[in-house]
Amino acid sequence: MAKHIFVTGGVVSSLGKGITAASMGHLLKARGYKVTMQKADPYLNVDPGTMSPFQHGEVFVTDDGHEGDLDLGHYERFIDESLSRESNFTAGAIYQSLITRERRGDYLGGTVQVIPHMTNAIKDRLTRIVEQSGADIVITEIGGTVGDIESLPFIEAARQFKMSKQHGDVLFVHVTLVPYIAAAHEVKTKPTQHSVKELRSIGVQPDFIVCRSDHEIEQGVREKIALFCDVKVDNVLSCVDETSIYKVPLNLHEQDFDTKVLDALGLEAKPIDISDWRDYNDKMDKLADKPVNIAIVGKYVSLPDAYLSIMEALIHASVFHGRKIQTHLIDGEQLVESELDKTLGIMDGILVPGGFGKRAFEGKITAINYARTNNIPFLGICLGLQAAVCEFARNVVGMKDATSGEFAEEIKEAGGGEIEFPVVDLMPQQEDIDNMGGTMRLGSYPCKVAEQTHAMAAYGEPVIYERHRHRYEVNNVFREKLCEAGLVVSGISPDERLVEMIELKDHPWFVACQGHPEFKSRPTRCHPLFRDFVGASITHCGS
Ligand code: GLN
C-alpha cells in the first residue's frame, strides 16, 4: 500500500514548491523508501510541449518521450530516479480523455461532470503511478496557488482520495510565503493564515506548513501560524532562501522534516545517509574563485528558466571541477559581427542550446564559427548540432547558405527560393506528416559511440542513451561530403541512419549532440559531456 503526499502552494506562485517537494522526495528516498513524484498542472494545455519557453520555461523530456513540466527536472535531479509520462498530467489532458470518451458514447447518455468524472480521472492518475512505479511513497505537487479557480478539481480530487484511505496514508504539505516587511521589521503570517483558510474552506487541512521566506522564521512566528492554521507547531517548518537549491534538503533535514513526515505516515524512520549530498554542497561552497566564462548563445535568453536543465548541468560540472562558472546568456540576434572579440573572445566555452525556429539561428552560426576558428571549446545541443553542421557545410565545405529544412518556408516567404544545401532536414518517411508534434523524435534513443573521439573519452561506453526532442536530422545526402571535409560523426544510431553526435579533430574540444544530455545530469553525477566541456573550458581559461 503506497502512501501519498500532496504538496500545495499558497499566497504566490514561484515559491519553490517543486524544490520543496523534491527535497522531501530526496530525504524520504535517503531513508530507504522507493519514492516517485508527480506534477498535476491545472492549465488547459494537454501538455507543455507546445507552450512557449518564454512563458513556461524549459520543456523537460522523460525517457519515454513525455514533454513535461520543468519541475520534473528538479524531481529527477533531487530523487535521482528517471520519471515517466505518468509523472505529469494537466487539466487539459484530463478533459481531453473525458471528452474523447463522451464522444465515443462511453457514458451512455449520462451527464459528464467535474465531480465525479473529472475528479475520478484525476484519482486514476494517482493510483496508476503507484502501479507503474511500484513506489512506497508518491509525492504529488499540485500546480498553481490555492484559491485559483482552475486548481479546484485537483484539490477536491486529493481531498476525496484522502477520504477513501486510512488515517495516515495521505498527507498534505502546504508551502507558503511569509513575507518580511522592512518598515515593520517583522515577517508577516497573515497571507499564510488566509491561504490556509482558503484551503480549509475546500475541505483540506494541511498536516505540514513549509514557510518560504527571506528571513528566518522564529519560534514565536511558528507558534502563531500553528495556532491560526490548526497545525502542530513542530509541523511548521522554515525554508529560508538558500544560496543553492541543493541546500534545501539539508535545511529541511535539520528540522527533522523527514522523520516527522514518516511518523505522520506511520512509517519507520530508517537510518539516513546523505553524505554524498553533503559533500556536494560542501564542494559547492569552496569553488575556486576565478570564474570560467561560458556563453550560452540562444534565443530564449530573457527567461533563464528556458535553459534550466542546461544551467543545472553546468553547475553540476562546475562543482565536479571545483571551479566557479560565470554563464553569459547571449541572444543570438544581438551578436554583432564586428564586436565578436569583445563578446565571444572573452569566453572560455561556447554552448549553443536547442531551439525552434529561424530567429537567432544566424547568430548561433556566427558563434559556432567563432568557437571553431578561435579554438574555443564548444558544446552544441540539438539545434546546436544542426547549426554546427550548417556552419561546417558553409564555411569548410563551401556549400553556400547551407541550412535546415526547418526554415524552408520562411526562406521562401522572404524571397530566398529553394534551399540548395539542406544539410539538416526531415527524414524521407517524415515528410508527409504535418500534424504538429506528430513527427517529433521524442524520448530516449541509443547511440553508438565511435572509438578515439571526445565522445568516447567522455562516455567511455560503446552505446549510450540520450533523450531527444526534435523533428529534423542531419541529411544523409550530404553526410559523405561533410565527413570527407573533416567532420567526425562520433555518435550514430545503431542502424547508422541517424547522426547523433559530431565533433572536429583539430580543435581542443568541439562536440555537438542531437539529444539533450542536460536532462540526465545529476548533482552528484554530472553528465560526462558537460563535465568534459567544462573541463576543456577550464583548460582554455587557465588556472
Ligand atoms: N528545431 C530543431 C528540430 O526540430 C531542433 C529542436 C531542438 O533543439 N530541441 O529538429
Side-chain angles (χ1 to χ4, degrees), residues 61 307 310 351-356 361 364 368 378-390 404 406-407 424 440-442 466-474 499-502 511-519 529-530:
V61 182
Y307 300 119
I310 288 180
L351 190 155
V352 174
F356 292 82
F361 188 72
K364 291 173 190 178
I368 293 167
F378 166 75
L379 176 60
I381 296 176
C382 207
L383 187 65
L385 172 139
Q386 299 172 358
V389 170
C390 295
S404 167
E406 179 176 0
F407 315 129
V424 173
M440 282 261 217
R441 178 144 77 103
L442 282 169
E466 292 296 353
R467 300 179 190 171
H468 290 247
R469 177 173 182 253
H470 55 100
R471 256 179 220 105
Y472 293 83
E473 308 281 353
V474 173
V499 171
E500 300 287 31
M501 296 185 73
I502 57 134
V511 177
C513 48
Q514 190 60 79
H516 287 269
E518 70 271 24
F519 294 143
L529 285 183
F530 279 86

Side-chain angles (χ1 to χ4, degrees), residues 92-333:
I94 300 280
Y95 276 122
Q96 191 185 42
S97 71
L98 293 178
I99 291 168
T100 306
R101 272 186 256 164
E102 187 272 338
R103 292 289 86 185
R104 221 169 37 208
D106 289 5
Y107 297 103
L108 306 173
T111 311
V112 187
Q113 295 182 294
V114 169
I115 303 172
H117 300 94
M118 182 167 183
T119 47
N120 282 348
I122 295 170
K123 287 188 282 180
D124 281 348
R125 299 298 301 245
L126 302 173
T127 38
R128 245 164 64 182
I129 193 166
V130 177
E131 286 156 17
Q132 181 258 350
S133 66
D136 305 314
I137 301 171
V138 180
I139 301 172
T140 304
E141 178 188 349
I142 299 179
T145 308
V146 167
D148 294 347
I149 290 176
E150 57 182 16
S151 64
L152 277 174
F154 289 87
I155 296 175
E156 167 61 12
R159 183 199 68 76
Q160 292 175 12
F161 191 76
K162 180 174 181 172
M163 222 28 217
S164 68
K165 301 283 175 191
Q166 300 292 320
H167 177 75
D169 284 349
V170 178
L171 292 186
F172 281 88
V173 175
H174 189 56
V175 184
T176 124
L177 178 74
V178 179
Y180 177 78
I181 304 296
H185 300 290
E186 58 181 10
V187 295
K188 289 291 180 189
T189 65
K190 192 70 85 187
T192 297
Q193 294 177 37
H194 276 291
S195 124
V196 172
K197 187 173 159 206
E198 190 79 35
L199 194 56
R200 292 170 75 180
S201 76
I202 46 179
V204 169
Q205 168 64 45
D207 300 282
F208 288 84
I209 296 178
V210 178
C211 305
R212 291 281 295 108
S213 182
D214 50 8
H215 279 65
E216 199 59 56
I217 309 292
E218 306 294 344
Q219 182 64 12
V221 178
R222 292 185 203 217
E223 283 167 8
K224 192 168 174 188
I225 292 173
L227 185 66
F228 278 93
C229 301
D230 201 21
V231 170
K232 282 195 237 165
V233 65
D234 280 351
N235 289 3
V236 180
L237 293 110
S238 150
C239 197
V240 190
D241 291 352
E242 301 275 2
T243 47
S244 154
I245 53 173
Y246 298 112
K247 293 196 169 146
V248 176
L250 301 180
N251 172 7
L252 292 175
H253 176 62
E254 268 158 36
Q255 300 175 68
D256 299 322
F257 191 32
D258 37 328
T259 43
K260 288 173 188 169
V261 166
L262 288 170
D263 187 48
L265 291 172
L267 294 174
E268 181 199 347
K270 300 183 223 173
I272 188 165
D273 179 9
I274 43 172
S275 50
D276 59 341
W277 202 263
R278 278 194 202 288
D279 290 347
Y280 176 84
N281 278 289
D282 288 347
K283 255 188 113 180
M284 188 160 33
D285 289 336
K286 293 187 200 120
L287 298 181
D289 264 348
K290 187 179 168 198
V292 180
N293 289 294
I294 293 190
I296 299 178
V297 182
K299 169 179 172 186
Y300 315 113
V301 295
S302 57
L303 183 71
D305 266 3
Y307 300 119
L308 185 63
S309 291
I310 288 180
M311 298 295 211
E312 294 304 317
L314 285 172
I315 293 172
H316 306 159
S318 137
V319 175
F320 176 89
H321 290 287
R323 196 64 188 263
K324 210 170 258 167
I325 288 182
Q326 180 74 48
T327 45
H328 305 258
L329 283 167
I330 298 177
D331 183 345
E333 271 207 317

